[in-house]
Amino acid sequence: MKKELLLVATAFFLMSVTAITGVHAIEEKVKSVTISKHESDVTGDGINESIQLKGVPYEDEEDYLKEIYIDISTTDEKQYKIPLESGSKASLKLVDLNQDGVKDLFSNVLTGGSGGITLNYLYTFKDFITKELVVPEPLEIASTFENGYKAKITIGLTGKTYVFDLKDRKKYYKRLGLYYKGRLNEPTELTVNSFTLLEPIRLDNGKIGLKGIQSVTGTSNTDNIAYVESSWQFGKDQWSHIQTNVSKAVEKAK
């Protein structure tokens, strides 16, 4: 009986060791990739830190990163990790957006959806303290198709209205049943997307701000109607709108 119990205990021990070994093997396979490397002072102490943007891809889908994070190594060999959302692509720029004299960490993550939407992150690491800062919100835009193969958008922040002639898409819209003899079959809104791009720019006053681009589409994501570009400046813990430019999209669905 004792011999049988000893055999059972030995078998259980071997199974446990095998399971632990398997876990370590899996962990070793989960390797991060370095997307970009930077050397810059992001703490304000006058010494450059090592900053890396890293990601962990799925085993069966290397083009999509299940984990994305910013890794900061200081001269005293301490490491800090700032996790971001998953996505297909990511970028990191070091730029002083909050105007405090120390570079901030501004990152974009492309979600990988058909709309080309990006998630945007802004962090300060001044005095070795990680603090997330807000980023500008996309503009609120009211939008509709109009009779006569037209589209209209109104930007809430400025109150300005823009009308676009879409007669070059007449055949396409008629084929979809959107129009009949130039009149809408039913009221139809456009799709106003979030930022497809948000990037640092130098403003006219010499300071660094952000420029965002939103696309306005019609019957599908390929039916581009307009692009709305807005610029922003950070101050007093919030973003101030500087200006907005609207242009008709050249691309159209066929």
Side-chain angles (χ1 to χ4, degrees):
M1 186 68 178
K2 290 182 178 179
K3 185 177 181 181
E4 291 176 354
L5 289 173
L6 180 61
L7 289 172
V8 171
T10 302
F12 180 79
F13 173 78
L14 291 173
M15 289 172 63
S16 300
V17 171
T18 303
I20 292 170
T21 304
V23 170
H24 283 304
I26 292 172
E27 288 177 348
E28 288 178 0
K29 289 182 180 178
V30 180
K31 295 185 180 294
S32 63
V33 296
T34 301
I35 302 169
S36 63
K37 295 181 179 181
H38 309 264
E39 296 285 336
S40 186
D41 177 19
V42 292
T43 64
D45 64 353
I47 303 173
N48 286 348
E49 285 74 42
S50 175
I51 305 106
Q52 298 185 63
L53 179 64
K54 293 185 175 183
V56 178
Y58 282 102
E59 291 181 14
D60 57 347
E61 194 175 349
E62 294 183 357
D63 292 337
Y64 195 86
L65 302 169
K66 64 179 179 180
E67 292 181 32
I68 301 174
Y69 59 94
I70 301 170
D71 184 87
I72 304 172
S73 299
T74 60
T75 53
D76 58 1
E77 297 184 351
K78 289 184 179 179
Q79 280 194 306
Y80 301 82
K81 182 178 178 180
I82 303 175
L84 309 176
E85 291 291 330
S86 59
S88 59
K89 292 182 181 179
S91 66
L92 175 64
K93 295 180 178 66
L94 305 181
V95 59
D96 182 15
L97 287 170
N98 65 350
Q99 319 296 330
D100 67 351
V102 179
K103 289 183 179 180
D104 307 307
L105 302 112
F106 178 71
S107 185
N108 307 112
V109 175
L110 183 63
T111 59
S114 59
I117 304 302
T118 61
L119 302 176
N120 306 288
Y121 303 88
L122 178 59
Y123 287 89
T124 174
F125 193 60
K126 186 177 181 181
D127 299 326
F128 299 89
I129 300 172
T130 303
K131 180 182 177 182
E132 185 173 10
L133 304 175
V134 296
V135 294
E137 291 288 338
L139 293 171
E140 293 186 4
I141 303 172
S143 61
T144 58
F145 279 104
E146 299 286 307
N147 290 329
Y149 303 104
K150 294 179 181 179
K152 180 177 73 174
I153 66 171
T154 300
I155 300 174
L157 188 62
T158 64
K160 291 185 178 180
T161 296
Y162 304 82
V163 178
F164 305 94
D165 189 331
L166 305 176
K167 289 188 178 67
D168 56 347
R169 312 176 195 202
K170 182 188 298 187
K171 291 182 179 179
Y172 172 69
Y173 289 153
K174 286 175 66 177
R175 190 165 68 246
L176 291 179
L178 182 63
Y179 285 91
Y180 179 72
K181 293 184 178 180
R183 296 190 64 83
L184 282 168
N185 281 320
E186 60 181 7
T188 305
E189 294 182 352
L190 311 178
T191 298
V192 178
N193 293 295
S194 182
F195 288 126
T196 55
L197 175 70
L198 189 64
E199 63 178 0
I201 60 166
R202 186 167 295 279
L203 302 170
D204 292 340
N205 60 12
K207 295 183 178 180
I208 303 296
L210 288 174
K211 177 184 74 174
I213 296 179
Q214 294 172 250
S215 63
V216 180
T217 58
T219 56
S220 68
N221 281 330
T222 60
D223 185 23
N224 295 290
I225 291 176
Y227 293 108
V228 181
E229 178 183 300
S230 55
S231 57
W232 307 82
Q233 180 179 320
F234 193 86
K236 296 182 180 179
D237 295 325
Q238 63 182 2
W239 289 92
S240 299
H241 174 257
I242 303 300
Q243 65 178 15
T244 295
N245 295 310
V246 177
S247 60
K248 180 182 177 182
V250 177
E251 309 91 341
K252 61 179 183 295
K254 297 179 180 179

